[in-house]
Amino acid sequence: MKTKMKIQLKPWVFWPTFIVLVIATIFSLVNLETFSSTISEVTVKSMGLFGAGYEVLTLIMLFVCVAVCVLPFGRVKIGGSKAKPLLKPFSWFAVSLAATVATALLFWAALEPMKHLTQPPASLGLEPNSPESAVFALSTIFLHWGFSPHAIYGVPVVMFAFAYYNMKKPFTISSMLAPILGKKTEGTIGTAVDSVTVLAMVLGVATSLGTGTLLVTGGLNFVWGVPSNMFVWLIVMAAIVVAFVISAITGLSNGVKKLAEINLWVFIFFLAWVILFGPSLFNINLGVESFAHLLDNFFSKSLFNGVVNGDEWPIWWTIWYFAAFMAWALTSAVFLGRISYGYSVRAIVTVNVWLAGIFNIIWFTFFSGSAIHMELFEKAGLGDIMINKGNEMVNYAFFDHFPLGTLINVIFIATAYLTYVAGADAMCATLAGLSTSGISPDSPEPPAILKILWGAILGVIAWITLSFAGLDGLKALSNLGGIPTLILLVPITYSLIKVAWNPYKYDTFKEDYDEFGQPKRPKVAELSEKSDEVEVAALNQE
């Protein structure tokens, strides 16, 4: 009989983050102007300093994901060859999407193409609202939402899953560094890593909560005229926090999984609606041309930082996106690594990087393509709405041009709410789990009180930032969260490279490898297992 470990609070992981956030909150309320200007200044300087690092590391992580699929390491099964998956493939993909980019797909669907179409980088000399700007806009969106950002998730997801299940390491961020640091990850160094990372995670998740709130309140304003102000943001944010805390308390099977499945089906409905009633032939042609443009300019777009021309566009877009994904990456890695039990490494990368990237590219091809068509050929004025009425209004003005626009917008509001709840409950549960000791495959759920506390903290930080610093403030917050994560992802990526090169050395399931130390092919392992069963049966008969 397996015994469950006693779950206790990790004081040196929880309290430092909690105290820093309380001090920052008080400072923001006492001296808002100084707080906002400090965040903005630190963001610009840090992005200028670390900008190239975000871009280079993202590129390296993409290549590592490719290598992981090609190497024999891709055959390694998380939890050993006899492990049975926790989730079915559809549910697994739905949860993966909800825990990474789902809310952002809704928020930026029609907004981002308007940003790039009407305000392209000055250093590139593109004329706003021109055909060249249209191709630049969609190809850039493919970079921001395609395979590169999902590689930022893919590397730590594989590393955490392997460390937690196959290396039998604790439920901590620092366990991903075990191939480099060994048992030091379970001491002071590991505690320091977990503490800093939890702070970065909170900033990243709070940013997403802020954008999700903007999306919901923008819809309420567009459809029913409800004002989009601090008070309404507070009510909406409280409703979101309460819902995702309740969902997180119910656990993976009853909460996160069901919400994520519903969420994915609604996404498919919206995609089908836009394909059916939008300029689909135009979208497909623009998508093909834009994807070709991305391939032709992949390295220059991936590493564009504008330093020579003093262009800050990359800081607030490409670099900001990579920083934002990194701020989320380790939280998502812990959660997605946990639910990857029973799947091969190659399957993990396929679902979390390749399939997720393809889904996003298809999504933006039709949503962003339709928005560009409306702006250039239908004179819908989405760019003017963005400037004069607010970023959050663009998506609702977009759907207003489709049949049953008001009804679709109401469904879109409900989807925005559901989508954030589906993703945030996973993050809330993960933060609570990292703040406690005793979490294991046999006892995977942290105390409910910690989930409630983290939910409240996230809500307060997001509301203050959104109310007093707006969308740029949310961007700055995520950038600050991305800096420590950037530093940690470098050794984590190296750890995965070491493991991928020689998994036998680190895997506790030695029986899953052949005499040459290579992971057995699934069919070979199955035949070997049946052969052993036959031999045992024969011996019993004798």
Side-chain angles (χ1 to χ4, degrees):
M1 180 178 177
K2 295 181 179 179
T3 58
K4 294 184 179 181
M5 295 177 63
K6 185 178 180 181
I7 296 178
Q8 296 179 327
L9 180 72
K10 291 180 181 177
W12 288 105
V13 174
F14 176 80
W15 288 114
T17 298
F18 183 77
I19 292 170
V20 168
L21 293 174
V22 169
I23 293 173
T25 301
I26 294 173
F27 180 54
S28 68
L29 294 174
V30 173
N31 195 335
L32 174 63
E33 186 176 343
T34 302
F35 179 76
S36 299
S37 62
T38 300
I39 286 182
S40 180
E41 184 178 351
V42 170
T43 298
V44 173
K45 288 185 177 179
S46 64
M47 291 302 99
L49 181 63
F50 294 101
Y54 287 113
E55 295 176 324
V56 171
L57 181 58
T58 299
L59 203 58
I60 291 172
M61 295 172 85
L62 181 61
F63 291 146
V64 170
C65 286
V66 173
V68 161
C69 288
V70 174
L71 291 171
F73 177 60
R75 298 197 296 268
V76 171
K77 196 173 185 180
I78 300 301
S81 58
K82 297 180 181 179
K84 302 298 181 184
L86 295 176
L87 297 174
K88 294 180 179 179
F90 180 82
S91 300
W92 185 28
F93 178 71
V95 173
S96 174
L97 195 70
T100 51
V101 298
T103 305
L105 292 185
L106 296 177
F107 187 80
W108 296 106
L111 174 60
E112 186 171 349
M114 289 304 99
K115 292 283 188 180
H116 303 327
L117 181 68
T118 61
Q119 303 166 13
S123 60
L124 297 184
L126 297 173
E127 182 182 347
N129 294 310
S130 65
E132 293 78 16
S133 292
V135 173
F136 168 81
L138 194 54
S139 64
T140 300
I141 291 170
F142 288 164
L143 172 67
H144 292 166
W145 296 98
F147 305 118
S148 294
H150 283 284
I152 295 173
Y153 293 120
V155 167
V157 167
V158 172
M159 191 60 245
F160 179 81
F162 186 85
Y164 184 52
Y165 288 115
N166 291 55
M167 295 178 68
K168 305 291 179 68
K169 295 297 179 182
F171 189 83
T172 63
I173 294 293
S174 54
S175 291
M176 289 187 266
L177 300 174
I180 301 175
L181 300 179
K183 292 186 177 181
K184 292 180 181 179
T185 58
E186 300 176 29
T188 304
I189 294 177
T191 301
V193 167
D194 292 338
S195 181
V196 172
T197 307
V198 166
L199 176 60
M201 292 176 184
V202 171
L203 297 178
V205 177
T207 301
S208 180
L209 177 55
T211 56
T213 300
L214 268 180
L215 191 60
V216 173
T217 54
L220 296 176
N221 178 269
F222 189 92
V223 177
W224 292 292
V226 177
S228 183
N229 55 34
M230 292 170 54
F231 179 70
V232 176
W233 294 339
L234 179 62
I235 294 174
V236 171
M237 204 168 287
I240 292 175
V241 169
V242 169
F244 77 64
V245 167
I246 292 174
S247 178
I249 290 173
T250 61
L252 175 63
S253 297
N254 295 325
V256 181
K257 182 173 76 72
K258 291 181 180 178
L259 282 175
E261 289 174 349
I262 295 171
N263 183 67
L264 181 53
W265 280 117
V266 176
F267 268 50
I268 293 172
F269 162 76
F270 276 115
L271 185 58
W273 192 266
V274 173
I275 291 173
L276 183 62
F277 295 106
S280 294
L281 185 59
F282 170 85
N283 293 336
I284 292 171
N285 286 321
L286 178 60
V288 169
E289 184 177 354
S290 299
F291 191 73
H293 184 271
L294 174 61
L295 294 179
D296 283 344
N297 302 275
F298 181 73
F299 288 100
S300 61
K301 290 178 78 71
S302 297
L303 303 174
F304 174 39
N305 55 55
V307 66
V308 174
N309 296 290
D311 189 350
E312 291 188 357
W313 185 93
I315 290 177
W316 292 103
W317 285 107
T318 302
I319 294 173
W320 169 71
Y321 266 128
F322 292 163
F325 281 119
M326 287 184 187
W328 266 85
L330 297 183
T331 318
S332 299
V334 172
F335 178 75
L336 296 177
R338 174 190 157 196
I339 66 172
S340 296
Y341 182 83
Y343 285 101
S344 70
V345 167
R346 187 173 290 121
I348 294 174
V349 176
T350 298
V351 167
N352 291 286
V353 181
W354 312 132
L355 290 183
I358 290 171
F359 182 88
N360 290 358
I361 288 172
I362 294 172
W363 177 271
F364 282 102
T365 293
F366 290 97
F367 272 84
S368 299
S370 296
I372 289 171
H373 188 275
M374 287 181 186
E375 188 69 8
L376 294 182
F377 304 107
E378 300 175 36
K379 308 303 178 185
L382 297 181
D384 291 336
I385 291 172
M386 175 184 69
I387 295 171
N388 298 318
K389 294 186 178 181
N391 295 302
E392 63 272 23
M393 298 295 182
V394 174
N395 287 293
Y396 298 100
F398 169 82
F399 274 118
D400 207 38
H401 285 78
F402 283 82
L404 303 176
T406 301
L407 175 61
I408 295 299
N409 272 325
V410 171
I411 297 173
F412 192 77
I413 295 170
T415 304
Y417 177 80
L418 172 68
T419 298
Y420 191 80
V421 171
D425 55 7
M427 301 301 101
C428 183
T430 301
L431 286 168
L434 292 171
S435 304
T436 56
S437 59
I439 300 296
S440 69
D442 299 318
S443 183
E445 294 296 334
I449 186 64
L450 267 184
K451 296 178 182 179
I452 296 171
L453 185 57
W454 277 122
I457 292 172
L458 292 171
V460 169
I461 295 170
W463 179 74
I464 289 175
T465 306
L466 178 60
S467 299
F468 300 110
L471 184 59
D472 286 341
L474 292 173
K475 282 188 171 185
L477 199 66
S478 66
N479 283 341
L480 293 178
I483 294 171
T485 315
L486 166 69
I487 297 170
L488 279 171
L489 281 173
V490 173
I492 288 173
T493 301
Y494 179 59
S495 292
L496 182 58
I497 292 172
K498 288 191 69 176
V499 169
W501 190 254
N502 186 11
Y504 179 80
K505 178 180 177 181
Y506 304 97
D507 202 335
T508 59
F509 297 97
K510 303 297 184 184
E511 66 275 12
D512 293 342
Y513 295 80
D514 60 25
E515 64 272 23
F516 303 106
Q518 295 296 315
K520 293 179 181 177
R521 297 182 183 277
K523 289 185 178 181
V524 174
E526 185 179 343
L527 290 173
S528 177
E529 186 176 335
K530 288 183 178 179
S531 176
D532 292 339
E533 291 176 356
V534 171
E535 289 181 8
V536 170
L539 289 173
N540 290 335
Q541 288 179 356
E542 292 178 3

